[in-house]
Amino acid sequence: MHVEEVNPDGSVKAASELPFGFSMMLPAFRGIKPLMGIEGLVNPRGFVIVDKHQQNPTFKNVFSVGVCVAIPPMGPTPVACGVPKTGFMIESMVTATALNIGAMLRGRPPKHQGTWNAVCLADFGDSGVAFVAQPQMPPRNVNWASSGKWVHAAKIAFEKYFIRKMRKGESEPFYETAALNMLGISKLKQVVTD
Ligand SMILES: Cc1cc2nc3c(=O)[nH]c(=O)nc-3n(C[C@H](O)[C@H](O)[C@H](O)COP(=O)(O)OP(=O)(O)OC[C@H]3O[C@@H](n4cnc5c(N)ncnc54)[C@H](O)[C@@H]3O)c2cc1C
């Protein structure tokens, strides 16, 4: 694999070749074709524009969650790159969206906001990295990371736990909420209303 490292101005700083047996490269993401170019709904890359309630400002009956949400980059980079979107962050978007749609159906305005916190076990096959970033987009209140073989084991355990709860149709059992609360990790922002 040919790898180029670039300077802040985009010029090549170093080039190297990496031997590999199996390799994965993620191309730049973009939105789906049916949404491309709809004024007020998506940005030029086809990602859906949302406000803090996950609601599109132009089409109020459209909410968006997950990878397809438009999140502006943190700043200029020499090579265009997107903002990472992880599972827990997306669960927080989904929780806020479900509550907001429920509120609207009851004639109330949407007020719930996801924290967009990130809690992640990234498995490398024999080891891995665990991190907590609250919120995922800087400036952060919590920035913690740890690596080792335990992450690989923890990911296997989590996968079994996750699939079991999905099979049971329970997205967030009370003990999961209690454990996350104890760790100070929440899906919803405390919104002060007057
Ligand atoms: C290699 C990799 C590793 C990752 N590791 C982690 C991790 O360890 N921890 C973590 O928290 N996050 C991780 N992530 C990120 C996480 O997987 C994603 O953020 C998450 O899956 C996004 O969820 P989503 O529902 O938004 O989109 P997706 O999970 O991509 O779901 C979108 C679905 O829409 C379907 N779809 C697309 N177009 C159409 C269409 N036109 N009509 C109908 N259906 C359509 C797709 O088939 C897909 O099933 C990883 C991502 C990748 C790529």
Side-chain angles (χ1 to χ4, degrees), residues 58-132:
T58 312
F59 304 94
K60 299 282 183 190
N61 58 341
V62 175
F63 286 76
S64 183
V65 297
V67 170
C68 59
V69 166
I71 304 179
M74 294 305 301
T77 50
V79 176
C81 61
V83 171
K85 295 162 188 165
T86 50
F88 190 87
M89 178 197 202
I90 293 170
E91 285 187 32
S92 89
M93 295 181 187
V94 173
T95 306
T97 301
L99 291 169
N100 285 334
I101 293 174
M104 285 170 73
L105 290 174
R106 291 172 186 84
R108 294 195 292 269
K111 64 169 192 204
H112 298 279
Q113 295 175 35
T115 52
W116 292 20
N117 287 336
V119 184
C120 189
L121 296 170
D123 191 356
F124 299 164
D126 51 359
S127 68
V129 171
F131 66 82
V132 178

Side-chain angles (χ1 to χ4, degrees), residues 91 157-167 171:
E91 285 187 32
F158 177 74
E159 185 183 295
K160 292 188 189 311
Y161 164 73
F162 188 86
I163 289 175
R164 182 176 169 272
K165 72 173 184 173
M166 287 299 124
R167 283 197 177 127
S171 69

